[in-house]
Amino acid sequence: MPHQAEIIAVGTELLLGNIANTNAQFLSQLLASAGVNVLYHTAVGDNPQRLRQAVEIARGRCDLLVFTGGLGPTYDDMTKETVAGVFGLALEYHPEVMEEIQQYFDRVFHRPMPACNRQQAMLPQGCTVLHNPVGTAPGCMFTAGGVTAVLLPGVPHECRYLTEHAVLPWLRGQSGGVIRSRDLHVFGLTEPQVQELLGDLMDSAQNPSLAPYAKPGEVMLRLTAKGGSDDDCQERMAPLFRDVRSRLGNYLYGVDVSSLEEVVLTRLRQQGLTLSTAESCTGGLIAKRLTDVAGASAAFLGGVVSYTNGVKAGVLGVPRDLLDRYGAVSAPVARAMAEGVRRLTGSDLSVSVTGLAGPDGDDRGNPVGTVYLGLSLPGETLVRRLALGGDRPRIRLLAASSALDIIRRHLCDLPIEQE
Amino acid sequence: MPHQAEIIAVGTELLLGNIANTNAQFLSQLLASAGVNVLYHTAVGDNPQRLRQAVEIARGRCDLLVFTGGLGPTYDDMTKETVAGVFGLALEYHPEVMEEIQQYFDRVFHRPMPACNRQQAMLPQGCTVLHNPVGTAPGCMFTAGGVTAVLLPGVPHECRYLTEHAVLPWLRGQSGGVIRSRDLHVFGLTEPQVQELLGDLMDSAQNPSLAPYAKPGEVMLRLTAKGGSDDDCQERMAPLFRDVRSRLGNYLYGVDVSSLEEVVLTRLRQQGLTLSTAESCTGGLIAKRLTDVAGASAAFLGGVVSYTNGVKAGVLGVPRDLLDRYGAVSAPVARAMAEGVRRLTGSDLSVSVTGLAGPDGDDRGNPVGTVYLGLSLPGETLVRRLALGGDRPRIRLLAASSALDIIRRHLCDLPIEQE
């Protein structure tokens, strides 16, 4: 199997800084999980001559070249022609691919396919087509002169889909053994705090290995083992997994899950409970994240975005005198918001957020980052005060995640720090 | 001045996908704003031999090499030695820099400087020191053989600080002229459609140039001119700007704005109007996007996320018989949701969204992507039906953007397509 990879992203928008090269990041993670060493990332613009030179350099130092971008239908998409050209391959027309693309337009876009999309059915001679059910740009791969070239679309979700469904299975087929990994998701600890807790294991562990991935507002740890079989890998991982889990304690919110919101919704469904939200400074972010998960309506009834005092009082029934006496960013208002939305929607549980996301503090001397969370349950309402750091988007993200985490802690009978 | 740049990020954590190369993104933006063309991004691990080869390649194709990372005090930080070595320069000790680093430890970390940090005061012979008041790693720059090398720390805020405070001022000092650009934001046309409208201009225009950037759910066009002065650039851009604007018509929602939500909020404030939202399939995304904008509360009062029929009826007052007769995804329910939230919040305008984001259609034969928008105004309520393509996140994004766009169209007295 190939062992040394270079990821080559094609697109002038990268060189102008319009987008970050996130494809290179998750491709690196996925290739590492399949036992491939990524030695270089390269980004080059929509320029055939410079791309050609980059391919020449790459095939001289790596045996797996993974390209992203430039598979689209427009004039500046020239990755296929250029890469195939370097390897002395012509492009040929694939009618079955054309058929798929036309069907995608009918099925998904509900409009006829523009003529320019025809060039997406032109692929290098003798390549393996990577059929793309989530977009119009098929990927492809071929091996020539001991070097394998994989061409993937630049649209992140299409790139990820083809990598997971076509490239990784192929790599695993090439490799002698199998590689398995487990993702441990942590909320409530910073990356340095996780380093302190687990640094010795990260440094020492080889197989299985333990690596941290900082994600917005949380930390993800990946445990990876190589072995002769799935069971072998699981056995290798078990002791380290137990050790890491016990060190992380209840900051570990899930293993091999996709998000905190997914964990909360799963717990709610398991316990047959419903949830509603009352959001001020997060402005709908909690509800948005819950409804990112398909099937959320089984447990999430809905909520109120009470961005102004008028809506807090008029819709949620927060008493005017509480707003006047304590201000909108206060424990009593967080409590009344949570109780109000639970009453309004008839949900079993509700969560509320009121705080200062910035740029400015309030006229009562509360600094930016001051946030109150309310969790209303049958019989009681808990309130928690947070002092969050960072800019407006980070404060909103952490406030929303903290609200989801307080629900998780309640559903798992874990301690909840209070005012 | 240097004209062709390569950004070289050094760090194995990039190749493992532990972090995204965000330094390359903002360095690209900042360099472009100073008139430097960035031709390549390269990422390489903490490996002297591979870094040396990367530097050899880069200095053969660019005259400005900007390095980030590997300036720290630990054994695997070897950017300075390696890069200086390729240019035949030794490192020399800078006592004044050592002084600064020790003071930083006293002032910020309140502890004595570890011995290993001494190597941070070793810099290439004859370089310009880029003093770093926001961290311990000083940057540096030198020119040798017609190539300028700039070495910056990998910590993003330190990298950005030195770029803005040292590198850009130097570049602007070098440059002859100025560069100006205008960003035209388009909603309602796909990138291929924009291509068909403007392709001839994109191909022919040189100075000013015209380039498209696909953003999630919309298209952005950047017009860029180089000239002797700001006025000169504006004059060069004017005719092409007028031509592009007239071809885009009312799909052009803003020029040099940050988002559709910002445009809507600005218009609302200018006209002294307030807005509320009633969201079903978008689940809070519209409210979230509006409140991403600081100061949104001047025009956005809040809204209701009515993810279930119970909340549509109980909170928004959608008549049960409408829900039973037409189903939640229907024009009458979109109308009643918009009117309900406007009544509830007392806002001047309100917008509603009800639809099927997928993965499944409904039991009335509505396919995934069916979305109804309601816009309630004093005296009338408009309803629009959309048939959106793509996966769940894309349908939610386009539904939210379409709702924002229908408000914009109303506020600008533009035609609104209706049921």
Side-chain angles (χ1 to χ4, degrees):
Chain A
M1 72 177 280
H3 287 94
Q4 304 204 320
E6 177 160 349
I7 297 168
I8 302 177
V10 184
T12 302
E13 66 275 21
L14 289 160
L15 300 181
L16 289 166
N18 292 79
I19 57 172
N21 191 358
T22 53
N23 287 351
Q25 181 182 14
F26 71 72
L27 282 167
S28 289
Q29 290 180 17
L30 294 173
L31 290 172
S33 75
V36 174
N37 299 320
V38 176
L39 299 190
Y40 302 91
H41 293 173
T42 297
V44 57
D46 303 309
N47 175 299
Q49 186 198 342
R50 286 195 285 270
L51 175 57
R52 199 174 302 113
Q53 289 167 358
V55 179
E56 290 290 4
I57 291 166
R59 70 169 179 170
R61 61 191 183 186
C62 291
D63 57 1
L64 176 63
L65 313 188
V66 180
F67 297 85
T68 69
L71 304 188
T74 60
Y75 72 97
D76 61 354
D77 292 302
M78 39 85 232
T79 302
K80 285 180 297 184
E81 306 80 307
T82 309
V83 175
V86 173
F87 287 90
L89 301 173
L91 300 187
E92 54 190 16
Y93 178 64
H94 287 246
E96 84 285 5
V97 170
M98 186 80 287
E99 187 54 34
E100 290 175 0
I101 296 172
Q102 270 158 341
Q103 283 167 6
Y104 191 86
F105 269 87
D106 298 345
R107 199 178 74 251
V108 178
F109 294 140
H110 310 301
R111 57 185 170 91
M113 186 192 81
C116 61
N117 287 76
R118 192 174 186 285
Q119 84 179 54
Q120 294 189 295
M122 298 295 295
L123 297 167
Q125 296 169 308
C127 72
T128 303
V129 179
L130 309 181
H131 297 276
N132 180 357
V134 297
T136 63
C140 64
M141 56 190 291
F142 60 83
T143 300
V147 175
T148 300
V150 179
L151 280 61
L152 300 169
V155 178
H157 80 269
E158 297 181 34
C159 182
R160 180 184 283 273
Y161 181 92
L162 291 183
T163 304
E164 290 174 341
H165 292 77
V167 181
L168 291 188
W170 174 76
L171 280 170
R172 298 205 170 107
Q174 302 285 304
S175 109
V178 301
I179 293 172
R180 294 288 179 271
S181 64
R182 306 200 70 180
D183 292 344
L184 288 72
H185 296 262
V186 177
F187 180 76
L189 296 174
T190 63
E191 198 177 5
Q193 288 171 316
V194 171
Q195 284 285 358
E196 272 184 31
L197 271 175
L198 304 175
D200 57 324
L201 300 178
M202 294 175 187
D203 297 342
S204 62
Q206 291 304 326
N207 184 18
S209 63
L210 181 66
Y213 299 91
K215 299 177 68 185
E218 61 177 86
V219 176
M220 196 265 277
L221 293 151
R222 179 166 290 154
L223 199 61
T224 306
K226 305 183 186 190
S229 68
D230 184 59
D231 291 352
D232 181 18
C233 291
Q234 300 303 340
E235 273 172 37
R236 287 174 183 273
M237 284 191 278
L240 182 58
F241 177 74
R242 279 191 298 271
D243 188 357
V244 171
R245 191 177 50 190
S246 68
R247 293 195 197 187
L248 291 173
N250 57 43
Y251 293 104
L252 176 68
Y253 73 72
V255 178
D256 298 330
V257 294
S258 68
S259 65
L260 189 51
E261 42 273 34
E262 185 205 86
V263 169
V264 167
L265 287 165
T266 304
R267 286 268 172 186
L268 286 166
R269 275 196 297 267
Q270 286 167 350
Q271 300 181 29
L273 297 171
T274 58
L275 173 71
S276 63
T277 53
E279 305 186 61
S280 186
C281 65
T282 49
L285 177 56
I286 301 170
K288 182 266 179 191
R289 285 174 58 178
L290 287 165
T291 57
D292 283 338
V293 181
S297 60
F300 177 61
L301 301 184
V304 172
V305 177
S306 54
Y307 209 58
T308 49
N309 284 354
V311 175
K312 289 185 183 74
V315 181
L316 291 175
V318 176
R320 281 279 179 193
D321 69 299
L322 282 188
L323 290 162
D324 298 341
R325 196 159 358 125
Y326 301 101
V329 179
S330 64
V333 168
R335 176 183 303 273
M337 285 171 64
E339 292 172 349
V341 80
R342 197 161 76 87
R343 200 169 44 240
L344 200 58
T345 61
S347 63
D348 300 306
L349 317 178
S350 66
V351 68
S352 67
V353 182
T354 180
L356 297 164
D360 305 317
D362 68 7
D363 50 12
R364 294 170 188 258
N366 289 312
V368 170
T370 305
V371 174
Y372 290 88
L373 303 180
L375 174 66
S376 182
L377 313 167
E380 67 171 331
T381 300
L382 315 178
V383 176
R384 182 169 178 203
R385 182 181 195 281
L386 306 172
L388 302 173
D391 58 6
R392 181 178 173 89
R394 184 167 185 277
I395 289 170
R396 279 158 54 91
L397 174 70
L398 289 180
S401 297
S402 302
L404 292 165
D405 195 55
I406 206 174
I407 303 165
R408 173 189 75 92
R409 287 177 170 271
H410 167 70
L411 296 173
C412 302
D413 296 315
L414 297 171
I416 295 172
E417 199 182 301
Q418 272 192 77
E419 261 289 75
Chain B
M1 71 176 283
H3 286 94
Q4 304 204 319
E6 177 159 349
I7 296 168
I8 302 177
V10 184
T12 302
E13 67 276 19
L14 290 161
L15 300 181
L16 290 168
N18 293 18
I19 57 172
N21 191 358
T22 53
N23 287 351
Q25 183 183 13
F26 70 72
L27 281 167
S28 290
Q29 292 175 5
L30 294 173
L31 290 171
S33 74
V36 175
N37 299 321
V38 176
L39 299 190
Y40 302 91
H41 292 174
T42 298
V44 57
D46 303 309
N47 176 298
Q49 185 198 343
R50 285 194 285 269
L51 175 56
R52 198 173 301 115
Q53 290 167 355
V55 179
E56 290 290 4
I57 291 167
R59 71 168 179 169
R61 61 191 184 186
C62 291
D63 57 2
L64 176 64
L65 314 187
V66 180
F67 298 85
T68 69
L71 304 188
T74 63
Y75 70 94
D76 61 354
D77 291 302
M78 36 84 231
T79 302
K80 286 180 297 185
E81 306 80 308
T82 310
V83 175
V86 172
F87 288 89
L89 300 173
L91 300 186
E92 55 191 15
Y93 178 66
H94 287 247
E96 84 286 5
V97 170
M98 185 81 286
E99 188 51 36
E100 290 174 0
I101 296 172
Q102 272 159 342
Q103 284 166 5
Y104 191 85
F105 269 88
D106 299 344
R107 201 177 73 254
V108 179
F109 297 141
H110 310 299
R111 58 186 169 88
M113 185 193 83
C116 63
N117 287 77
R118 192 174 186 283
Q119 88 177 53
Q120 295 188 295
M122 299 293 296
L123 297 167
Q125 297 169 310
C127 72
T128 303
V129 179
L130 309 181
H131 297 276
N132 180 356
V134 297
T136 64
C140 64
M141 56 191 289
F142 61 83
T143 300
V147 175
T148 298
V150 179
L151 281 61
L152 300 169
V155 178
H157 79 270
E158 297 181 35
C159 183
R160 180 185 282 275
Y161 181 92
L162 291 183
T163 305
E164 290 173 343
H165 292 76
V167 181
L168 290 189
W170 173 76
L171 280 170
R172 298 211 169 101
Q174 303 283 307
S175 131
V178 301
I179 293 181
R180 294 291 180 267
S181 65
R182 306 201 71 178
D183 293 344
L184 288 74
H185 295 263
V186 177
F187 180 76
L189 296 175
T190 64
E191 195 178 5
Q193 288 171 317
V194 170
Q195 203 72 59
E196 281 178 27
L197 271 176
L198 303 175
D200 57 324
L201 300 178
M202 294 176 188
D203 297 345
S204 61
Q206 291 305 325
N207 185 17
S209 63
L210 180 67
Y213 302 103
K215 301 178 70 182
E218 60 178 85
V219 176
M220 196 265 278
L221 293 150
R222 178 166 290 157
L223 202 60
T224 306
K226 306 185 183 190
S229 68
D230 183 59
D231 290 352
D232 181 19
C233 291
Q234 301 302 342
E235 272 172 39
R236 286 174 182 275
M237 284 192 279
L240 182 59
F241 178 74
R242 279 192 298 271
D243 187 358
V244 171
R245 190 177 52 189
S246 69
R247 293 196 198 187
L248 292 172
N250 56 41
Y251 293 105
L252 176 67
Y253 73 74
V255 178
D256 298 328
V257 294
S258 69
S259 65
L260 188 51
E261 41 273 33
E262 185 205 89
V263 169
V264 167
L265 287 165
T266 304
R267 286 270 173 185
L268 286 167
R269 275 196 297 269
Q270 287 168 348
Q271 301 180 28
L273 297 170
T274 59
L275 173 70
S276 64
T277 53
E279 304 187 61
S280 186
C281 65
T282 48
L285 177 56
I286 301 171
K288 182 266 178 193
R289 285 174 60 179
L290 287 165
T291 57
D292 282 339
V293 182
S297 59
F300 177 60
L301 302 183
V304 172
V305 177
S306 55
Y307 209 58
T308 49
N309 283 354
V311 175
K312 289 183 184 75
V315 180
L316 291 175
V318 176
R320 281 278 178 193
D321 69 298
L322 283 188
L323 291 162
D324 298 341
R325 197 163 354 131
Y326 301 101
V329 179
S330 63
V333 169
R335 176 183 303 274
M337 286 171 63
E339 291 171 350
V341 80
R342 196 160 78 87
R343 199 167 46 238
L344 200 59
T345 61
S347 63
D348 299 307
L349 317 179
S350 66
V351 68
S352 68
V353 183
T354 179
L356 298 164
D360 306 315
D362 68 5
D363 51 12
R364 294 170 187 258
N366 289 312
V368 170
T370 307
V371 173
Y372 290 87
L373 303 180
L375 174 66
S376 182
L377 313 167
E380 66 169 335
T381 301
L382 315 178
V383 177
R384 180 166 179 206
R385 183 181 194 279
L386 306 171
L388 301 174
D391 59 5
R392 180 177 173 89
R394 184 168 184 276
I395 288 169
R396 280 158 54 89
L397 174 71
L398 290 180
S401 297
S402 302
L404 292 165
D405 195 54
I406 205 174
I407 302 165
R408 173 189 73 95
R409 286 177 171 270
H410 167 69
L411 295 173
C412 301
D413 294 318
L414 297 171
I416 294 173
E417 198 183 301
Q418 271 192 78
E419 263 289 73

